Amino acid sequence: MDWFPLWNSLRIAAISTVVIFFLGIWAAYGIAKLPRLVKGVLDVILTLPLVLPPTVVGYLLLRLLGPKRPVGLLFLQLFDTKLVMTWWSAIFATVVVAFPLLYRTARGAFEAFDEDLAYAGRTLGLPNRTVFWRIRLPACREGILAGTVLAFARALGEYGATSMIAGYTPGRTATISTTVYQLWRTDNDALAFRWVLVNIAISAVVLLAVNFLEKRDKKRVRKGAAA
């Protein structure tokens, strides 16, 4: 059994999650402070990939990153590099598709944050950056971590947009999802089922992690209310 699809899926999901983590926190924190109308418009734009069919997302990415399209052509001319049909091309797809999961949970955590804690930090002379990293972010960590885990799981299982922008090449661009489809298409049900079991096992671990984080968050809220 060739384990490349598992390794490739894990590295794509891991890199995507790191990118999503910082982009999601930055967007969630900034947008949470905006007026309601502006926040609503930006919410729709940033959350749209969550409800669009993945193949539509993949098509739009191809229209942007293809070798004959604006961004893709620019990179091809400047760096002699194609942005599609490589293993790391899938990162573009997974970042776009999984980003809303972290963004929404992080924004909810920031909006539920007790601003009195931030005010207290500022009265002690702490700069805004320190207040954010040492007070606000730790207080919202359970929600952010849950969103991070969900984003990782979504990136790991992404198929539609990934297959369109990265394709399927054994040993080069194959992921768990694209491998299952190709094995099913070639009537190799036994091996396809093995990969399905691998995916189910990983997904179960991810869901257990999310449940654990949610329970910790509820316990923290109850302790805060009791205090």
Side-chain angles (χ1 to χ4, degrees), residues 9-22:
S9 296
L10 288 173
R11 68 174 171 178
I12 290 170
I15 295 171
S16 301
T17 303
V18 172
V19 175
I20 291 167
F21 179 81
F22 290 102

Side-chain angles (χ1 to χ4, degrees), residues 106-208:
R107 205 202 75 193
F110 286 139
E111 289 178 342
F113 174 74
D114 185 0
E115 290 295 334
D116 289 341
L117 297 175
Y119 296 146
R122 293 191 188 98
T123 58
L124 295 175
L126 297 178
N128 288 334
R129 181 176 299 179
T130 302
V131 170
F132 178 82
W133 289 105
R134 300 296 296 274
I135 298 176
R136 190 182 301 272
L137 203 60
C140 302
R141 64 183 179 275
E142 278 82 9
I144 293 173
L145 286 175
T148 303
V149 174
L150 287 173
F152 176 82
R154 183 67 183 87
L156 188 67
E158 163 55 28
Y159 170 75
T162 298
S163 62
M164 293 188 69
I165 197 171
Y168 172 80
T169 304
R172 292 184 58 192
T173 67
T175 63
I176 295 176
S177 300
T178 57
T179 298
V180 169
Y181 174 76
Q182 291 297 326
L183 290 172
W184 168 80
R185 199 169 64 87
T186 56
D187 294 326
N188 193 344
D189 285 346
L191 190 54
F193 186 67
R194 291 182 190 177
W195 279 116
V196 169
L197 292 178
V198 169
N199 211 346
I200 290 174
I202 296 173
S203 300
V205 171
V206 169
L207 290 175
L208 287 173

